[in-house]
Amino acid sequence: MAKTKSAYFCQSCGYESPKWLGKCPACQQWNTFVEEIIEKPNSAIPDWKAPGSGSTSMQRANKAVPVSSITFTEEHRIYTPDKELNRVLGGGIVPGSLVLIGGEPGIGKSTLMLQLALSMPAAKILYVSGEESDRQIKMRAERITPLPPEGRVSGYSGTGCFVLTETSTQNIFKQIEQLQPDMVIVDSIQTLYSAHIESTPGSVSQVRECTAELLRFAKESSTPVFLIGHITKDGMIAGPKILEHMVDTVLQFEGDRHHVYRILRAIKNRFGSASELGIYEMKGAGLREVSNPSEILLSQRDEALSGITISVTLEGLRPMLIETQALVSTSAYGTPQRSATGFDTRRMNMLLAVLEKRCGFRLGTQDVFLNITGGIKVEDPAIDLGLAAAIISSHEDMPISSKTCFAAELGLSGEVRAVNRVEQRIAEAQKLGFEQIFISKYNLPSGKADKNQLDLSHYKIEIKAVSRIEEVFGLLFG
């Protein structure tokens, strides 16, 4: 019998302590320590390619080598039929990568992964589920891709996706040895348990050990592994923080239950940009890719309404046009209300202070409400000018043309500041049929020798270059 020991773990951050503590010294949370029994690995328990497990591969000790002697071939990625997923991952799935996908319950994580497994009939994909039975997975597969009576449709083959309902990592690795899959999907990491650890599934030590075993398998076999993870009530991925450090990529699947659109956002990515996002539309037959998000984020209206403007933002490398709405009304109480949906409230208060100080608008006794349509959250400062114009449009009850858009940042002194990659923003606005765009004058070339010279002759859209917020209001409202 292996020697056992007991330790206390923080269920919020994974901090380990030899005794119980009321307050976690790492995350400052109260009453989060629970006792877990940790057992040292037993040689009788089979592990992934461990000595005595029946594996045909030989164990070898790694040696330190100079970086100049490491051979590197051209990067090979696995391209999936899901273009949004390819974009978020940085151009496809890297062999041997470990990807963690988190999101709220019912947001569509399992649906997204099952769609991925069903859309690649040429690959052998193992779908491991610890939460659902095989019949439940089959039911969802029928809903995602309905099969005719003869059992075949174009682009779908049930032979490429294998389903395993198991929670023991030792049994999972036995099936992997027999099947030799090209990709493994685990739903979810909190349901797995390892025989090396004598604690309940979902505990800090179990999540850490199971992830370490899957990480070792992914790196040694060059097989990509997708892990579906639960989140806490604070929106963080359940389990120790080290879980996010161990994996190669962390994806967050988010959205509003009152909207049909879902956003797949990269939080960490060792093989690409960590600021990319993909947009999906939830339908009865599964998730549909949205190739042009600007069309769903802009509402179709027949008449001009005050308090509505269009701003051009960037998410990663993708330009998007979003609709920003503002409502300014007289406060019925002593203290005016300030509320923002999809935008930072502190930055909204800064914009209101700039409008009152630099432009003379009396907004101190007004209720101000801001909304970014589509249920998305935007942190790009390039929508500052559009939000300021929407606030004044609602305050003066004067509509702004629906063919006008904005892409500039506002400073505390009222200056209109330049933003990055303004050429992509202008091109996206022109492609969607806008006739006028307001940008900063400082985005224009300052001289003939300016390396960042912006050639305006390529654009048919009218470009208004301004340097002060007063100029914008003068051109908009006269």
Side-chain angles (χ1 to χ4, degrees):
M1 180 65 183
K3 183 179 179 181
T4 61
K5 70 174 182 176
S6 176
Y8 292 86
F9 290 90
C10 173
Q11 296 297 294
S12 179
C13 66
Y15 182 83
E16 182 179 355
S17 173
K19 63 179 182 178
W20 185 87
L21 298 175
K23 183 179 180 180
C24 177
C27 65
Q28 308 300 320
Q29 297 293 321
W30 288 89
N31 298 326
T32 57
F33 278 88
V34 295
E35 183 181 10
E36 296 181 8
I37 299 176
I38 304 176
E39 181 181 358
K40 293 183 178 179
N42 189 348
S43 59
I45 302 175
D47 193 7
W48 164 249
K49 288 192 175 180
S53 63
S55 174
T56 57
S57 63
M58 298 296 294
Q59 297 288 321
R60 61 180 179 85
N62 293 327
K63 297 181 179 179
V65 295
V67 66
S68 58
S69 64
I70 300 176
T71 58
F72 174 75
T73 57
E74 186 179 355
E75 183 184 31
H76 172 69
R77 290 178 181 256
I78 303 172
Y79 296 98
T80 70
D82 191 340
K83 297 180 181 179
E84 297 296 305
L85 182 62
N86 290 338
R87 177 186 291 109
V88 175
L89 292 176
I93 304 172
V94 176
S97 61
L98 189 62
V99 182
L100 175 64
I101 301 180
E104 293 193 5
I107 205 67
K109 305 182 296 297
S110 301
T111 301
L112 178 65
M113 289 293 97
L114 187 58
Q115 272 190 192
L116 174 65
L118 296 176
S119 63
M120 302 176 66
K124 189 184 296 184
I125 300 177
L126 177 61
Y127 187 95
V128 181
S129 176
E131 300 179 344
E132 298 176 286
S133 65
D134 49 2
R135 293 190 177 184
Q136 290 175 320
I137 299 174
K138 173 65 174 178
M139 186 187 306
R140 189 173 348 118
E142 291 280 358
R143 176 175 58 84
I144 294 174
T145 310
L147 295 179
E150 58 271 16
R152 294 194 179 188
V153 294
S154 59
Y156 176 83
S157 175
T159 59
C161 178
F162 294 82
V163 176
L164 173 64
T165 55
E166 182 60 64
T167 56
S168 172
T169 56
Q170 282 69 37
N171 295 335
I172 292 173
F173 288 134
K174 288 180 182 179
Q175 292 293 323
I176 289 176
E177 286 281 354
Q178 297 176 7
L179 187 62
Q180 296 293 322
D182 301 318
M183 185 187 305
V184 177
I185 300 173
V186 178
D187 183 13
S188 62
I189 185 61
Q190 280 81 11
T191 61
L192 299 189
Y193 74 92
S194 173
H196 298 314
I197 305 295
E198 287 189 355
S199 59
T200 59
S203 61
V204 172
S205 53
Q206 281 287 5
V207 170
R208 181 170 51 196
E209 178 65 24
C210 294
T211 305
E213 293 180 10
L214 290 169
L215 176 64
R216 192 159 52 247
F217 156 72
K219 300 306 178 184
E220 292 180 3
S221 63
S222 296
T223 303
V225 178
F226 284 84
L227 305 178
I228 297 178
H230 301 164
I231 66 170
T232 62
K233 60 182 180 181
D234 298 327
M236 304 297 293
I237 296 178
K241 193 66 177 178
I242 194 175
L243 176 63
E244 299 181 37
H245 291 285
M246 294 171 66
V247 300
D248 298 311
T249 305
V250 179
L251 306 180
Q252 187 78 17
F253 203 41
E254 57 191 32
D256 194 341
R257 289 184 177 272
H258 303 289
H259 294 83
V260 296
Y261 301 109
R262 304 287 187 264
I263 296 176
L264 184 65
R265 191 186 303 271
I267 300 177
K268 168 192 174 183
N269 193 356
R270 290 175 178 165
F271 311 112
S273 173
S275 58
E276 289 290 343
L277 64 81
I279 300 181
Y280 297 86
E281 181 181 4
M282 177 64 79
K283 291 192 170 184
L287 293 163
R288 182 186 69 88
E289 305 171 38
V290 177
S291 57
N292 188 4
S294 301
E295 294 181 356
I296 66 171
L297 297 175
L298 300 179
S299 61
Q300 305 296 328
R301 57 183 187 274
D302 299 329
E303 56 182 350
L305 301 174
S306 63
I308 298 178
T309 57
I310 307 299
S311 302
V312 189
T313 183
L314 275 177
E315 287 289 350
L317 301 176
R318 169 188 284 187
M320 295 191 304
L321 277 83
I322 59 174
E323 183 176 303
T324 53
Q325 299 178 343
L327 177 62
V328 180
S329 62
T330 304
S331 177
Y333 305 97
T335 304
Q337 300 182 61
R338 301 284 190 264
S339 176
T341 303
F343 190 71
D344 188 7
T345 307
R346 293 172 298 179
R347 192 164 186 85
M348 178 191 69
N349 292 330
M350 184 203 75
L351 295 177
L352 294 176
V354 171
L355 293 176
E356 187 160 353
K357 178 70 175 180
R358 305 299 177 185
C359 303
F361 293 104
R362 300 302 176 187
L363 301 172
T365 59
Q366 305 289 321
D367 291 336
V368 181
F369 303 93
L370 291 184
N371 179 43
I372 308 296
T373 60
I376 67 172
K377 297 179 181 180
V378 181
E379 298 178 356
D380 188 4
I383 69 171
D384 286 353
L385 187 58
L387 286 173
I391 292 172
I392 301 307
S393 172
S394 177
H395 182 263
E396 301 294 330
D397 200 16
M398 298 177 64
I400 298 176
S401 172
S402 59
K403 296 297 182 180
T404 300
C405 59
F406 304 85
E409 180 184 354
L410 277 184
L412 291 178
S413 61
E415 79 275 14
V416 180
R417 300 173 58 87
V419 294
N420 60 340
R421 299 217 293 271
V422 69
E423 297 91 347
Q424 288 181 269
R425 303 175 193 262
I426 297 174
E428 182 72 11
Q430 178 177 294
K431 184 177 71 173
L432 294 180
F434 284 83
E435 300 173 355
Q436 189 180 63
I437 183 172
F438 282 82
I439 66 171
S440 173
K441 184 180 72 173
Y442 305 107
N443 273 122
L444 299 180
S446 57
K448 294 183 179 179
D450 193 346
K451 296 181 180 180
N452 299 322
Q453 186 169 359
L454 178 63
D455 191 1
L456 304 180
S457 61
H458 296 301
Y459 305 106
K460 297 180 181 179
I461 186 174
E462 182 183 2
I463 299 176
K464 296 285 188 180
V466 293
S467 60
R468 302 284 302 175
I469 185 67
E470 297 89 339
E471 298 179 38
V472 180
F473 295 148
L475 294 172
L476 289 175
F477 307 112

